[in-house]
Amino acid sequence: MSTDPHKSDGQVADADRVVIFDTTLRDGEQCPGATMTFEEKLEVAECLDQMGVDIIEAGFPIASEGDFEAVSAIAKQVKNATVAGLARAIFADIDRAGEAVKHAKRGRIHTFVSTSPIHLAHQMRKTEAEVLEIITATVARARNLVEDVEWSAMDATRTGIDYLCQCVDAAIKAGATTINLPDTVGYATPDEYAAMFRIVREQVPNSDKVRFSTHCHNDLGLAVANSLAALGAGARQIECTINGIGERAGNAALEEIVMAIKTRRDRLPYDTGIDATMLSRASRLVSAVTNFPVQYNKAIVGRNAFAHESGIHQDGILKYQQTYEIMTPESVGVGKTSLVMGKHSGRNAFRSKLKELGYELGENAFEDAFVRFKGLADRKKHVYDEDIEALVDEGIAHMHDRMKVVSLTVIAGNMGPQSATLTLDIEGVQHTVQSTGNGPVDATFNAIKLLVPHEAKLDLYQVHAVTEGTDAQAEVSVRLEEGGRMVTGRGADTDTMVASARAYVSALNKLMVKRQKTARVQQQAL
Ligand code: KIV
Ligand code: ZN
């Protein structure tokens, strides 16, 4: 691997090439409720690789056996991107990350330590001198395992600049090839963030031999603005996530970074290697597997991002698209909304519609989606693109679930008590139960609880219609909380009760994954 900071890991790149480091599978997955299974992580990694992401941070290998397995499998699978594994400044973490990425074409260890006085005093309980020694020892350890080592100064933006320069100096001397200065708590403003890069690059010897990286959180809604500001001060790697998912208010959104650079080349004269027409597809995939809805007015990938409601805007767009559109929906992979097909549409028409919507399904997933499409077309007169997307996303989200809803019959109405008869497939065996409740949703959820006893608390129950009309599909989101662990599930169906049951069961499936993962992290806490 090239350690030249101006080379994009094997690809030829000039000084204005911005390296995109995606951390959806690590920082993104860390956000409450966004747990992904092993298979889902592999699918997201494949999409990121196809889209042209330069570096995929695949996970935190020491965190759990599952994380280690996922990072190793992604390292073996990915064809173009560098695969990074995260490690605290602890030898065991670094060795585990090295082991996980060792089969990658290009593997990176990303190690970090806190540098701010507040973290040193209250979390690490270490002196500045001790942390400097830790940086030297741990970066050198990582560099013995791989050539490509990224070092991050956690909470850099609340670190005194002189001490930050000493830390960066120690990391470069010990062999780091990328220096990341995160705004861990989303506190910086754009001018301040840029100034930090400028000063560090000016003051630290050999800073021209490494690549500088941004990593911004969105607590004040400034993550993208801060990341872009740092480019003007010499940063050439941006860490970001699809849909901006991540801890608390999230990370800088990849799609916003990429489209800002593409659309405003006059002000941001840089290049990324991203195929922007895949942004919409990546957004939908991440939303489907995390069960994390994308807000309607989200820039670039929100449902309303290219919708024009006001008469004046619609009139302008019809006369000349650029009157109210600074980029086209097609440029981010959004096709025109159209009436799709009815119950007479065949396999070929369905296959080409999926292609047009940006889905590439394997044979089994295609057959499953086709059967469900036929079922939907029988129940719903008009099937729109949004219906197909909800149906396919639902299939992707539940493909690897250990528990599935087989059937549900609900008796509702004002003559109570309402009751639900539910059959679940739990690891290949069908179980049926009947329950009553205070309304049909309560009866349905009580039935699930009888079959899968658990203590988790229902934190959120939300329903929205995928399209217009009384025969529209309902998309239901359910969030469960258990001992501080949060998981989200989603389900779609023309029957709101069936969608609700699917969403609840999907959240329980995620909870199982999360239970395994957090048990290991707690054992290994600092
Ligand atoms: O926000 C942060 O500081 C991080 C580091 C681990 C890079 O996620
Ligand atoms: Zn972070």
Side-chain angles (χ1 to χ4, degrees), residues 72 89 106 428 471:
S72 318
R106 287 182 279 274
D471 65 349

Side-chain angles (χ1 to χ4, degrees), residues 57-173:
E57 185 162 55
F60 190 3
I62 195 93
S64 69
E65 205 49 44
D67 260 49
F68 177 83
E69 296 300 337
V71 178
S72 318
I74 290 168
K76 286 178 197 151
Q77 165 192 285
V78 157
K79 295 193 183 68
N80 306 306
T82 295
V83 176
L86 186 72
R88 291 168 297 187
I90 297 174
F91 284 175
D93 278 41
I94 291 169
D95 295 348
R96 193 81 174 138
E99 185 66 22
V101 300
K102 78 173 181 211
H103 295 298
K105 267 197 188 149
R106 287 182 279 274
R108 170 179 294 193
I109 296 177
H110 174 195
T111 181
F112 70 96
V113 70
S114 289
T115 53
S116 67
I118 191 163
H119 280 208
L120 261 57
H122 301 287
Q123 190 180 16
M124 311 251 316
R125 305 218 164 86
K126 299 244 183 274
T127 64
E128 289 190 344
E130 284 170 330
V131 170
L132 281 172
E133 276 176 25
I134 290 173
I135 295 169
T136 302
T138 52
V139 172
R141 176 88 168 201
R143 194 55 210 267
N144 270 337
L145 299 174
V146 288
E147 270 193 55
D148 186 345
V149 174
E150 171 169 338
W151 176 76
S152 287
M154 195 179 214
D155 208 14
T157 49
R158 293 193 299 170
T159 303
I161 195 75
D162 290 336
Y163 181 60
L164 184 61
C165 287
Q166 287 177 45
C167 293
V168 172
D169 184 36
I172 295 177
K173 282 193 177 122

Side-chain angles (χ1 to χ4, degrees), residues 311-505:
I312 298 176
H313 287 212
Q314 284 176 353
D315 177 60
I317 285 277
L318 287 173
K319 288 178 175 145
Y320 184 55
Q321 198 168 10
Q322 286 175 26
T323 47
Y324 290 96
E325 247 172 33
I326 58 167
M327 54 199 158
T328 62
E330 294 77 29
S331 68
V332 299
V334 177
K336 296 239 178 326
T337 299
S338 59
L339 181 62
V340 188
M341 300 164 276
K343 57 181 171 187
H344 302 298
S345 309
R347 274 193 171 66
N348 283 348
F350 186 63
R351 203 184 290 278
S352 60
K353 176 48 81 179
L354 289 184
K355 199 156 179 238
E356 187 191 315
L357 293 173
Y359 291 103
E360 273 175 45
L361 302 184
E363 239 358 86
N364 290 347
F366 172 81
E367 278 307 319
D368 173 65
F370 185 66
V371 169
R372 287 184 302 115
F373 159 70
K374 282 294 200 185
L376 180 65
D378 272 342
R379 281 173 286 143
K380 193 169 185 293
K381 203 162 144 206
H382 301 305
V383 180
Y384 295 89
D385 285 357
E386 289 92 330
D387 287 314
I388 302 273
E389 283 165 7
L391 181 141
V392 178
D393 289 346
E394 158 116 351
I396 292 170
H398 301 313
M399 202 181 308
H400 306 290
D401 283 356
R402 291 165 61 187
M403 297 181 286
K404 289 186 175 146
V405 174
V406 178
S407 68
L408 175 70
T409 308
V410 176
I411 300 176
N414 64 354
M415 299 302 284
Q418 292 77 16
S419 70
T421 306
L422 173 76
T423 302
L424 286 188
D425 179 316
I426 305 176
E427 290 177 343
V429 182
Q430 296 201 355
H431 305 262
T432 303
V433 79
Q434 194 185 23
S435 180
T436 54
N438 192 8
V441 178
D442 194 42
T444 303
F445 290 179
N446 285 342
I448 296 173
K449 276 181 214 148
L450 283 177
L451 287 177
V452 190
H454 58 273
E455 294 297 317
K457 186 169 114 312
L458 180 67
D459 205 44
L460 172 105
Y461 171 73
Q462 216 169 49
V463 185
H464 88 264
V466 174
T467 56
E468 288 164 12
T470 48
D471 65 349
Q473 288 193 85
E475 196 162 57
V476 177
S477 299
V478 160
R479 195 166 64 213
L480 299 177
E481 195 265 337
E482 182 193 74
R485 288 182 280 244
M486 208 108 79
V487 286
T488 319
R490 227 161 28 149
D493 199 273
T494 47
D495 185 310
T496 309
M497 288 312 110
V498 173
S500 302
R502 287 207 187 123
Y504 199 107
V505 170

